[in-house]
Every structure is written in C-alpha cells, then in structure tokens.
Amino acid sequence: TTNGTFTATFPENQIAALSDGTLTTTASYNNIIDTPTATASILKDTVAPTLASSVPADGAYENATGFTFTATADEPLEANASSITLFDSTGTQVGGLTTTYPTSDSVKVTPLLRPTDGSYTAKIVLVDASGNTSTTTTTFTLDSVTPTAPLIEMPATINASNVHSYTVTGTTPAGAPGEPGGTVALTLTDSTAT
C-alpha cells in the first residue's frame, strides 16, 4: 500500500479464463496482529444480445394499414439504448419513425405515415444492460394490394373416361403475378354444394 491506498490490475488472460457471471474480488490486509479481508462482486457479461423475433418476421409480407416494426431480444436490454432503422429497396432511410420500448427486451418503431408498398430492410441494433451490442438486418415486404382471383382451366366435362382423375390448372391474370408464399385453395362441390 501507499498512504493507505492500493491498486491492482488483473491481466486480460486471467479475466478471459473466468466464466461469465458474478465474479468476486477478495482483498486481504496482512499486518502483525490480524489478516482482515473484504470482498466485492462484479458481473462479467461478454455475450451480446441476439434477435429472438421480429414483427414482421424476416421474409414476411405485411398488409396492415397501421404498420409498426417490433424487435424482441433474447435478454433484457439497456433502457432507451437499442434502435431500429428502416430502409427502402433503394437504400433510402425511412424518416418520421417514433421509437418506443414496449417491454424490457423489445424495441419498436412506428412511422408517422405508412411507407409505400415495396421491399424494406430493418437494421436492428440491440444493446444489453452490460453494454454489449449486436446488429442484425431483416427484410420484409409491405403489400396492401388485394390479389386478383386466378383463372381456372379445366375439362369441359367429367365423363366415364376421366372420372377417376380430374385435373385442374390455373394461372394468375396478366399483370398480376403470383407472390412468393401465396397459396391457392381448391374445392370441388356438386349442385347441392356437398
């Protein structure tokens, strides 16, 4: 000690060898009469938060008129430190976003005006209580246009020769291409709707 004070620095390799969690420092003062000790604890947390989920999800199509984007982490986040930035398909940043923090592990942005239809990228920066930071990007598509009904092509008649196998094909109308993830549901009923 010098004038009753002391300083000690633990080397990087010693700290790295210890697992994440609560670390305890113990100081012992040796003198002729006794050896009193004191302890102090500190949290070691070197793991950055990861994106657990987002709404819209990565690759999703979204048609909600009141559009918002929410990212949820796998652990509690530092208050008011995380962020979401939206970019359109040209890389232009979407302006007029209000950021809120609905829960301790989530961050949400709400545009002043709903962005136009198209593809978007969300840049999500998550910061946990220890200051660890991660950056993730997801993409989604805004699509408010109702799809046009498909055109059905089928035989004119089911007769004795084709009654065992009835094939229906179809196409989307010109100018209305099918969307990724879209499905077509087919039903077959008689005149009694059964």
Side-chain angles (χ1 to χ4, degrees), residues 56-83:
D58 188 27
Y61 278 73
E62 174 64 51
N63 64 359
T65 55
F67 169 74
T68 62
F69 188 97
T70 302
T72 301
D74 64 343
E75 63 172 300
L77 301 171
E78 176 69 12
N80 306 327
S82 300
S83 64

Side-chain angles (χ1 to χ4, degrees), residues 44-129:
K44 179 186 176 184
D45 175 11
T46 60
V47 179
T50 60
L51 180 66
S53 64
S54 65
V55 180
D58 188 27
Y61 278 73
E62 174 64 51
N63 64 359
T65 55
F67 169 74
T68 62
F69 188 97
T70 302
T72 301
D74 64 343
E75 63 172 300
L77 301 171
E78 176 69 12
N80 306 327
S82 300
S83 64
I84 299 172
T85 311
L86 301 181
F87 300 90
D88 65 17
S89 59
T90 68
T92 302
Q93 183 173 333
V94 177
L97 299 180
T98 300
T99 303
T100 55
Y101 303 88
T103 60
S104 63
D105 61 352
S106 68
V107 54
K108 174 181 178 180
V109 291
T110 303
L112 180 62
L113 299 174
R114 184 188 186 280
T116 58
D117 283 2
S119 176
Y120 290 85
T121 298
K123 178 183 177 182
I124 306 160
V125 178
L126 302 175
V127 183
D128 68 14

